[in-house]
Amino acid sequence: MNPALNAVIVIVAGVGVCVSYFWLANLVLDKVIFPARGAHAGRNITRANRVRPWLFLFPALFFVGVYLAYPVFATLWLSLNDRAGNFVGLRNYNRMFSEPKFGESLRNNMLWLIVVPAAATAFGLLAAQLTDRIRWGSIAKSIIFMPMAISFVGASVIWKLIYDARDASLPQIGLLNAVWMQFDGGIGSVLMLQALPVIVLVTMALALGFGTWLLMRGLRGARVPQVILRLVLAVIALVLAGVALRWAWGAVVVSLPYGRPQQWLQLPFWNNFFLMAVLVWIQTGFAMVILSAALRGVPEDTIEAAVLDGANPFQIFFKIKAPQIIGTIVVVWTTITILVLKVFDIVLAMTNGQWETQVLANYMYDKFFRAFDTGMGSAAAMIIMALVTPILVWNVWNARKEMR
């Protein structure tokens, strides 16, 4: 049968089954179980109205149970068994935690968690603010949002071309190597590749230090959850500041291999950032659209009042607009965080977890579908779920709070 005709038949059959279910459910409820006639007509109508929502929700609850709840419990059970189906308790978890590759996956996922949500949200917020102030902002938004229409694998193929490397005697088709080969070790190269990164990194470290000071200054009088959140953010900021200073020192003493094309995806540690760039590129459009809508919702009178008080554009943004959309920023951040914890396609398509780029989802795939170790693969899946669930619950709670 023609696939298009097959699809039409499936759609018509699916819609027909749904309509039939709701029609029959109403008919049985109103005519058979709780008929609106006789001495108890009023009571029957009340009971029917109480039952009706659950009757309509039943198909959704049933399929959520079958396709979501059951796989969770089945995966949990598989994680407690070996590949032969024998119960082994927590042995799979012990084996997994003792594997260096799992430690590498966990470390890389943490790195992705720090970099990607922050970068995508920051770029999205910057794009939302700037595109709302220019005449051709709609065109710019469309271009920035366009990567959202590309699959992760498609985006990975595009970026592999950007990172492509050929022999030094051949023209470079990879954009990054084409630029890299222009540097020859002269004063311009030193300024661009060493002095400029040092300035940027030291500035970042100072900004993070200032942010830490602001967070600590606001502890007095704050509620317990806010104190905990501020302390966590302050520790993260301090760690990042230390990392930035360490990288700055590395940029000072590094000896760069000028004149040789680089295999960017094979450079340990740094190749993780080249992979992250793909997800940041895709998710910036998502963050921009959501945050742009939030910025448009900021009351104009608050902005006008700030202008009349003499506030400059930076003060208006950071002290008037940003505090009013902080809830939306958090929702965007956590949504991207959940996506990052499940990142798989980009790593599989670009490095397949080689050269120290392994992540948890790819590790799970390796164990489950390549090594056929269902116990270890399920244990890795449970770890991913344990990491995602608290953020997901908090995200839903925060979104409901925003809606209220």
Side-chain angles (χ1 to χ4, degrees):
M1 183 182 293
N2 188 294
L5 182 60
N6 196 17
V8 170
I9 292 173
V10 170
I11 291 171
V12 171
V15 173
V17 168
C18 290
V19 171
S20 301
Y21 170 78
F22 291 120
W23 180 74
L24 280 174
N26 260 330
L27 188 68
V28 171
L29 193 66
D30 292 334
K31 302 295 183 185
V32 179
I33 302 176
F34 298 116
R37 61 177 180 271
H40 303 295
R43 188 181 65 183
N44 285 349
I45 290 173
T46 304
R47 288 180 176 176
N49 288 336
R50 287 178 181 170
V51 172
R52 202 183 318 276
W54 294 104
L55 203 61
F56 288 178
L57 280 174
F58 173 74
L61 294 174
F62 175 76
F63 285 110
V64 165
V66 170
Y67 290 106
L68 193 63
Y70 169 73
V72 170
F73 289 105
T75 305
L76 177 63
W77 175 248
L78 282 175
S79 72
L80 302 176
N81 291 271
D82 63 12
R83 66 178 71 194
N86 301 315
F87 184 77
V88 294
L90 297 177
R91 197 177 300 165
N92 287 323
Y93 291 90
N94 289 334
R95 284 172 54 208
M96 187 173 66
F97 282 115
S98 63
E99 275 197 0
K101 206 64 178 172
F102 176 75
E104 176 192 315
S105 308
L106 207 56
R107 192 168 54 250
N108 286 339
N109 263 93
M110 292 302 111
L111 193 60
W112 279 72
L113 276 181
I114 293 170
V115 175
V116 175
T121 307
F123 288 140
L125 185 58
L126 184 66
Q129 174 64 15
L130 294 180
T131 52
D132 281 342
R133 298 171 64 90
I134 55 179
R135 193 171 53 184
W136 46 275
S138 299
I139 299 173
K141 279 183 181 177
S142 302
I143 294 172
I144 296 171
F145 188 74
M146 206 173 289
M148 282 290 293
I150 304 173
S151 69
F152 284 175
V153 175
S156 303
V157 172
I158 293 171
W159 281 80
K160 277 189 87 170
L161 291 174
I162 293 175
Y163 299 143
D164 184 78
R166 291 186 169 190
D167 189 82
S169 60
L170 298 173
Q172 300 296 321
I173 62 168
L175 176 64
L176 210 53
N177 269 315
V179 174
W180 168 254
M181 294 299 283
Q182 303 303 313
F183 295 104
D184 55 3
I187 184 67
S189 304
V190 173
L191 288 175
M192 287 295 297
L193 299 180
Q194 290 185 271
L196 183 61
V198 168
I199 293 171
V200 171
L201 289 168
V202 170
T203 305
M204 281 179 58
L206 292 175
L208 288 166
F210 181 67
T212 305
W213 178 74
L214 289 177
L215 288 168
M216 299 302 290
R217 195 179 65 167
L219 285 179
R220 183 175 297 174
R223 290 180 295 181
V224 174
Q226 291 176 336
V227 170
I228 295 173
L229 181 62
R230 283 175 177 272
L231 287 174
V232 170
L233 291 176
V235 170
I236 292 173
L238 277 180
V239 171
L240 291 177
V243 172
L245 289 175
R246 183 182 168 192
W247 288 358
W249 176 247
V252 172
V253 299
V254 70
S255 176
L256 296 174
Y258 294 110
R260 295 201 303 263
Q262 299 298 303
Q263 297 287 347
W264 304 105
L265 296 179
Q266 297 180 19
L267 296 175
F269 182 70
W270 298 105
N271 49 11
N272 286 291
F273 292 94
F274 294 128
L275 299 185
M276 292 174 203
V278 183
L279 194 53
V280 172
W281 180 62
I282 295 173
Q283 290 300 311
T284 295
F286 161 74
M288 179 198 66
V289 169
I290 304 296
L291 295 173
S292 178
L295 284 172
R296 287 175 184 272
V298 174
E300 284 293 331
D301 52 348
T302 59
I303 299 172
E304 290 171 0
V307 172
L308 290 175
D309 287 342
N312 60 43
F314 286 99
Q315 289 173 322
I316 291 173
F317 179 76
F318 286 107
K319 295 189 175 180
I320 304 297
K321 291 183 177 178
Q324 295 189 63
I325 63 167
I326 190 67
T328 309
I329 294 174
V330 172
V331 169
V332 169
W333 187 303
T334 49
T335 302
I336 299 175
T337 299
I338 293 168
L339 180 70
V340 166
L341 278 169
K342 300 183 293 184
V343 65
F344 166 72
D345 321 52
I346 295 171
V347 176
L348 180 72
M350 296 188 77
T351 62
N352 195 20
Q354 300 180 87
W355 309 297
E356 301 181 16
T357 59
Q358 187 66 295
V359 291
L360 284 173
N362 201 56
Y363 174 86
M364 177 199 71
Y365 179 81
D366 280 347
K367 291 296 178 187
F368 217 114
F369 298 105
R370 288 182 175 141
F372 300 108
D373 191 339
T374 53
M376 290 271 282
S378 301
M382 294 309 297
I383 294 294
I384 295 172
M385 196 189 77
L387 292 173
V388 169
T389 302
I391 305 172
L392 185 65
V393 171
W394 190 74
N395 198 18
V396 171
W397 175 80
N398 203 47
R400 290 172 64 89
K401 182 181 170 187
E402 282 293 307
M403 289 172 66
R404 286 197 295 270

